[in-house]
Amino acid sequence: MCDHRSWLAGAMVLLVGVCIAAEPEPKPRLKLSKEEQLLVDLTNQARAKKHLPALKPNPILFKVARAHAANMAKLGEMKHTLNGKNPQQRIEAAGYDYGWSGENIAVSFGGVRPKPIFTGWMNSKIHHDNILRPQFTEIGIGIASNDKGDYYYAQEFGSPRER
């Protein structure tokens, strides 16, 4: 004979478990260093001058930018393609489903210098075009140093694929 009370209790436990599992994971808070924030601000100020919307910091793009800057610093190489992966491959591998993507990189020898790096990007057509590309909606910044005190920068741009 079936005990209806134990069946009901089991069903309630199962239902509670399903409800708990269905709740989305809270998004981790993205904390920016003052230098990362400065580069985001400079980028958005340049975009505002051209009446373009501000880029929103994206945790995945920050993760990719930070990892690429750290890898460039570790290897002592400023390159878009390292360890056989280009920017798009790194962004895809991190789980960012992009419609548009781009990357700016730079190095400053002997100290962190976000303002001169940004000025250099704005004085270079290809970097300038990335900063002002209207299709981009999100941004990630990475800055990493090596043991010589050289700082490597990665600025990732993207916009999620429209579905």
Side-chain angles (χ1 to χ4, degrees):
M1 187 168 183
C2 179
D3 181 354
H4 294 294
R5 286 177 291 188
S6 63
W7 176 86
L8 181 59
M12 288 177 67
V13 167
L14 179 62
L15 182 59
V16 169
V18 168
C19 289
I20 291 171
E23 289 184 26
E25 297 262 336
K27 287 186 178 180
R29 288 206 53 218
L30 179 62
K31 293 185 181 182
L32 280 60
S33 71
K34 71 177 188 174
E35 292 85 6
E36 289 171 338
Q37 185 64 59
L38 177 58
L39 284 171
V40 170
D41 292 344
L42 290 169
T43 299
N44 284 332
Q45 289 167 15
R47 290 175 65 83
K49 288 178 185 174
K50 298 294 183 180
H51 307 289
L52 294 168
L55 300 177
K56 296 179 184 107
N58 177 283
I60 295 174
L61 294 178
F62 266 84
K63 178 181 175 183
V64 170
R66 289 169 174 167
H68 189 55
N71 195 29
M72 288 190 297
K74 179 179 133 192
L75 299 174
E77 297 182 38
M78 187 186 71
K79 294 182 178 176
H80 290 286
T81 300
L82 285 175
N83 304 110
K85 287 190 176 180
N86 66 34
Q88 289 74 24
Q89 290 167 322
R90 288 192 301 275
I91 290 170
E92 285 177 358
Y96 189 85
D97 187 18
Y98 68 91
W100 287 87
S101 72
E103 177 180 80
N104 288 345
I105 58 174
V107 62
S108 63
F109 299 107
V112 63
R113 296 184 178 92
K115 283 185 180 180
I117 291 298
F118 187 78
T119 299
W121 283 336
M122 289 302 288
N123 289 331
S124 161
K125 179 169 176 28
I126 192 164
H127 298 97
H128 175 275
D129 290 352
N130 273 341
I131 290 167
L132 299 180
R133 191 168 311 282
Q135 293 86 351
F136 294 148
T137 59
E138 298 178 328
I139 190 170
I141 302 286
I143 304 170
S145 65
N146 62 17
D147 56 1
K148 297 175 188 171
D150 303 326
Y151 284 79
Y152 290 79
Y153 303 78
Q155 186 181 43
E156 303 295 335
F157 302 97
S159 57
R161 183 182 315 274
E162 293 183 19
R163 301 218 179 241

